[in-house]
């Protein structure tokens, strides 16, 4: 297996795991919230904030590094439109990820009392925007020149 293919897999895998991990946590927290058991929801929120978010953050931060190595290996200029657009979208994903972490912290701080509808709407909006932006970035990566 040549270096390019290996690096391409090493770059694609964290992106896919990031998207699937986010979708799994959205579903898990939605289900726990709908279940009505405050202890289960608090446990899921604590696990998400202490374990999953840092792991997803490491996956996200590995993407620019592996992407830069890939672009450097192929010899593409960094000023290409698809690359600049995906970089801007990735910065938006990082900002939204920090906002989402703050909303999850506020949700966990409620400690069993019902969450206000605005908190749940913002949390869902941030998570949904992250999913859409990740899909857009993956689309740009797939549409790049061969």
């Amino acid at each position: 297996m040549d270096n390019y293919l290996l690096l391409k897999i090493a770059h694609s895998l964290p992106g896919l795991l990031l998207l699937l991990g986010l979708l799994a946590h959205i579903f898990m927290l939605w289900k726990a919230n709908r279940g009505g058991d405050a202890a289960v929801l608090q446990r899921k929120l604590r696990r998400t904030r202490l374990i999953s978010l840092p792991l997803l953050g490491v996956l996200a931060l590995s993407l620019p590094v592996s992407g830069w190595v890939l672009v450097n290996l192929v010899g593409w200029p960094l000023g290409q439109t698809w690359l600049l657009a995906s970089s801007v979208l990735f910065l938006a994903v990082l900002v939204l990820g920090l906002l989402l972490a703050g909303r999850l912290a506020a949700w966990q701080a409620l400690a069993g009392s019902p969450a206000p509808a605005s908190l749940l709407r913002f949390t869902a909006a941030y998570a949904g925007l992250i999913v859409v932006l990740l899909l857009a970035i993956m689309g740009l990566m797939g549409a790049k020149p061969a």
Side-chain angles (χ1 to χ4, degrees):
M1 186 179 308
D2 63 334
N3 288 342
Y4 177 73
L5 184 57
L6 187 63
L7 280 172
K8 195 173 179 180
I9 292 170
H11 180 69
S12 300
L13 191 61
L16 187 62
L17 289 175
L18 181 65
L19 181 63
L20 292 176
L22 182 64
L23 289 173
H25 278 80
I26 290 170
F27 179 72
M28 176 186 69
L29 291 175
W30 174 77
K31 190 175 174 185
N33 188 43
R34 298 258 323 192
D37 189 358
V40 170
L41 179 61
Q42 285 298 313
R43 190 172 62 245
K44 301 279 185 193
L45 284 167
R46 188 180 77 242
R47 186 173 298 146
T48 297
R49 288 191 57 239
L50 293 179
I51 298 169
S52 300
L53 285 182
L55 287 175
L56 292 175
V58 168
L59 284 174
L61 292 177
S62 75
L63 291 172
V65 174
S66 61
W68 181 80
V69 171
L70 266 174
V71 167
N72 232 9
L73 183 67
V74 174
W76 285 325
L78 292 175
Q80 293 187 16
T81 306
W82 66 271
L83 192 56
L84 291 174
S86 62
S87 298
V88 169
L89 291 177
F90 186 75
L91 286 174
V93 166
L94 292 179
V95 170
L96 287 169
L98 292 173
L99 291 171
L100 178 62
R103 293 299 87 208
L104 290 174
W107 194 4
Q108 186 181 10
L110 294 174
S113 60
S118 63
L119 175 68
L120 295 177
R121 277 195 309 267
F122 275 111
T123 305
Y126 292 150
L129 281 172
I130 291 171
V131 167
V132 167
L133 290 177
L134 285 174
L135 289 172
I137 291 170
M138 289 178 182
L140 285 169
M141 294 293 130
K144 73 180 176 303

